[in-house]
Amino acid sequence: MAHIDLGVDETRFPGITGLMRYRPETSKPLSELAEVLLRTPHSLPAGERELIAAYVSGLNECTFCCASHSASAAMQLEQGMTLVDQVRADLDTAPIPAKLRALLRIAGAVQVDGRSVTAEMVANARAEGATDLEIHDSVLIAAAFCMYNRYVDGLGAFAPDGQEAYTDSARRIVKFGYRPTGDPSQPDHRLSEHRQA
């Protein structure tokens, strides 16, 4: 259970969902950022953006965020969880487009330290067809997820065991997105089982 009393049943509101309910004033901008980065129309498909979030969360060893965004990515990628697992296990051999691999490398560098992103990495991404917006948003997704991961883990939020625990939440996210409904007495069908994180 979390390090502080969130005032909710954490088994019903695990991970970031409980934290969001504890502090709705910060929930709104955090949710809106996730919505813009992961769900709005973009040249990178939503599944690929969720994969970047899952990849960075895995590097940060944030169980809740990694599992929740892996589930969301899997639902939106043709190869499903098999591809997500392959990317997380070995980015170099995963069967993904070269552009996505280059963007994931940039995201992985951001996870280590923003200054680890090199001009060569950016040039490689461009050479594989990445636009400046795609590079920008890959960096911002990675940076945001480092924050979300530290938020969840820094407060010791509850993370359910097993990937199947995240499937229903992923379905809600794919259907409704990350924006909160605003009624703290009801389960928020729009929250990621991590509402990101």
Side-chain angles (χ1 to χ4, degrees):
M1 292 296 122
H3 297 315
I4 63 173
D5 181 1
L6 300 179
V8 296
D9 177 355
E10 289 185 65
T11 62
R12 287 185 61 218
F13 301 103
I16 205 167
T17 61
L19 303 179
M20 295 281 192
R21 288 183 178 277
Y22 177 79
R23 189 90 159 95
E25 300 87 348
T26 56
S27 169
K28 185 176 187 294
L30 291 174
S31 299
E32 288 172 349
L33 179 60
E35 182 71 16
V36 169
L37 289 176
L38 302 178
R39 303 270 308 152
T40 57
H42 200 284
S43 54
L44 286 179
E48 292 184 0
R49 287 177 279 157
E50 289 280 3
L51 183 59
I52 294 170
Y55 180 69
V56 169
S57 297
L59 293 175
N60 282 326
E61 299 180 6
C62 181
T63 300
F64 181 80
C65 296
C66 183
S68 62
H69 288 282
S70 290
S72 292
M75 288 195 170
Q76 298 175 83
L77 294 169
E78 188 176 332
Q79 303 93 332
M81 191 58 77
T82 299
L83 181 62
V84 173
D85 289 341
Q86 289 172 318
V87 167
R88 292 196 52 239
D90 187 352
L91 180 58
D92 291 332
T93 62
I96 57 174
K99 179 176 86 170
L100 179 57
R101 189 181 328 279
L103 293 172
L104 284 162
R105 283 198 180 108
I106 290 172
V110 171
Q111 182 270 335
V112 172
D113 179 325
R115 290 166 294 196
S116 295
V117 177
T118 65
E120 181 182 8
M121 288 176 175
V122 172
N124 288 341
R126 282 195 181 115
E128 297 298 349
T131 66
D132 283 356
L133 177 63
E134 291 168 343
I135 293 165
H136 173 277
D137 284 6
S138 295
V139 168
L140 186 51
I141 290 168
F145 274 84
C146 287
M147 174 187 65
Y148 291 127
N149 298 160
R150 285 155 180 74
Y151 182 35
V152 169
D153 287 343
L155 283 166
F158 171 70
D161 291 330
Q163 190 61 46
E164 65 282 350
Y166 300 88
T167 302
D168 287 342
S169 176
R171 281 193 195 99
R172 288 191 297 272
I173 298 229
V174 169
K175 185 172 182 180
F176 297 108
Y178 289 99
R179 291 195 177 105
T181 62
D183 181 355
S185 68
Q186 299 298 315
D188 194 334
H189 64 281
R190 297 183 187 182
L191 286 176
S192 107
E193 220 54 325
H194 125 270
R195 182 108 79 317
Q196 171 146 261

